[in-house]
């Protein structure tokens, strides 16, 4: 979805992009949304600033990239479906290109929720494979048992640049106003041969279905 959003703005004057979790809301303090100053992205919600998560290599929440940085890292991997791991993979992509650690705000650590607050919501399901080869949608905090996270499979997580902006295929469905913003609805293409658990509801025009080859 992020890759599609960036591609939609090709040819525009936008030169940096803010990738923003919808549940992470600016609250108080002096966090400034700004253009990254160096070769690494600007992570506004690192360890010590994010309202709920706290570990050293955390890389999610609110991140600002220049256009050149996103092109260099090739955006996000395209084979992540369901909840989780795409941010960890992006961190690995950045590290392999010498773009880690990211820039962080020059503000003191405060108690959680000082700079940003978290909007409570039901967590999205995590896709897992059962021992019989079936696919389950489970709450991320449910015990794994004999199941495996599909987004950690080698063909997904070990993709450090093969897929991304250069392989994103989508079909624009609708654009409409939404509470002062713009809501964009798209269909994303999914290769069910590689990631059979994605089960796309539609195939973009002009792209053969990985299942039916129509």
């Amino acid at each position: 979805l992020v890759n599609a959003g960036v591609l939609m703005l090709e040819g525009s004057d936008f030169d940096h992009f803010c990738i923003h979790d919808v549940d992470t809301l600016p609250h108080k303090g002096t966090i400034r949304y700004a253009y990254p100053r160096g070769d690494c992205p600007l992570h506004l919600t690192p360890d010590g600033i994010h309202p709920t998560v706290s570990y050293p290599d955390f890389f999610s929440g609110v991140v600002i990239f220049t256009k050149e940085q996103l092109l260099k890292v090739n955006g996000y991997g395209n084979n992540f479906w369901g909840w989780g791991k795409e941010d960890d993979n992006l961190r690995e992509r950045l590290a392999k290109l010498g773009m880690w650690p990211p820039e962080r705000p020059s503000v003191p650590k405060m108690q959680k929720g000082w700079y940003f607050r978290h909007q409570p919501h039901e967590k999205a399901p995590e896709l897992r494979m059962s021992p019989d080869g079936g696919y389950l949608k489970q709450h991320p905090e449910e015990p794994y048992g004999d199941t495996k996270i599909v987004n950690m499979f080698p063909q997904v997580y070990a993709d450090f640049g093969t897929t991304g902006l250069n392989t994103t295929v989508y079909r624009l469905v609708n654009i409409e106003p939404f509470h002062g913003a713009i809501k964009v609805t798209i269909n994303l293409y999914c290769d069910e041969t590689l990631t059979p658990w994605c089960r796309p509801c539609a195939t973009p025009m002009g792209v053969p279905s990985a299942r039916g080859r129509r």
Side-chain angles (χ1 to χ4, degrees), residues 125-204:
E126 185 175 62
L127 291 175
R128 301 176 184 177
M129 178 183 281
S130 61
D132 63 4
Y135 303 109
L136 308 170
K137 289 184 177 181
Q138 293 186 316
H139 191 283
E141 295 177 1
E142 283 288 323
Y144 297 120
D146 294 330
T147 64
K148 298 179 180 179
I149 306 171
V150 298
N151 280 348
M152 287 298 292
F153 287 1
Q155 70 267 35
V156 178
Y157 191 80
D159 170 12
F160 299 123
T162 302
T163 70
L165 289 169
N166 65 328
T167 60
T168 298
V169 179
Y170 69 94
R171 179 165 63 90
L172 180 62
V173 177
N174 190 42
I175 300 178
E176 59 184 316
F178 185 75
H179 299 288
I182 297 175
K183 179 181 178 182
V184 179
T185 303
I186 64 173
N187 285 337
L188 289 171
Y189 172 70
C190 160
D191 184 350
E192 289 191 71
T193 302
L194 181 64
T195 54
W197 47 84
C198 61
R199 309 184 191 284
C201 61
T203 301

Side-chain angles (χ1 to χ4, degrees), residues 7-213:
L7 292 174
M8 281 186 222
L9 294 171
E10 277 190 313
S12 71
D13 293 332
F14 293 105
D15 59 0
H16 59 301
F17 302 86
C18 182
I19 315 303
H20 207 300
D21 281 359
V22 70
D23 61 3
T24 305
L25 308 176
H27 189 31
K28 45 182 163 177
T30 55
I31 296 290
R32 181 170 176 263
Y33 287 65
Y35 190 91
R37 293 175 295 182
D39 296 329
C40 303
L42 170 59
H43 188 196
L44 294 184
T45 52
D47 174 40
I49 294 180
H50 192 276
T52 61
V53 183
S54 181
Y55 59 88
D57 288 337
F58 174 70
F59 188 63
S60 188
V62 185
V63 185
I64 300 177
F65 292 87
T66 66
K67 180 179 180 180
E68 291 74 22
Q69 289 167 353
L70 273 176
L71 289 174
K72 184 175 180 179
V73 80
N74 200 19
Y76 286 79
N78 282 337
N79 294 322
F80 293 89
W81 300 91
W83 181 87
K85 305 306 178 186
E86 77 286 349
D87 299 314
D88 295 329
N89 172 264
L90 183 59
R91 181 187 65 222
E92 297 291 338
R93 290 181 175 217
L94 291 167
K96 289 181 180 296
L97 291 171
M99 299 169 68
W100 185 267
E103 179 186 345
R104 59 177 291 152
S106 299
V107 294
K109 287 188 178 182
M110 304 292 287
Q111 68 266 31
K112 288 184 178 181
W114 181 264
Y115 297 109
F116 292 88
R117 63 183 178 88
H118 182 260
Q119 178 68 41
H121 62 89
E122 184 177 347
K123 285 193 175 183
E126 185 175 62
L127 291 175
R128 301 176 184 177
M129 178 183 281
S130 61
D132 63 4
Y135 303 109
L136 308 170
K137 289 184 177 181
Q138 293 186 316
H139 191 283
E141 295 177 1
E142 283 288 323
Y144 297 120
D146 294 330
T147 64
K148 298 179 180 179
I149 306 171
V150 298
N151 280 348
M152 287 298 292
F153 287 1
Q155 70 267 35
V156 178
Y157 191 80
D159 170 12
F160 299 123
T162 302
T163 70
L165 289 169
N166 65 328
T167 60
T168 298
V169 179
Y170 69 94
R171 179 165 63 90
L172 180 62
V173 177
N174 190 42
I175 300 178
E176 59 184 316
F178 185 75
H179 299 288
I182 297 175
K183 179 181 178 182
V184 179
T185 303
I186 64 173
N187 285 337
L188 289 171
Y189 172 70
C190 160
D191 184 350
E192 289 191 71
T193 302
L194 181 64
T195 54
W197 47 84
C198 61
R199 309 184 191 284
C201 61
T203 301
M205 293 181 293
V207 178
S209 165
R211 176 186 292 167
R213 297 293 176 191

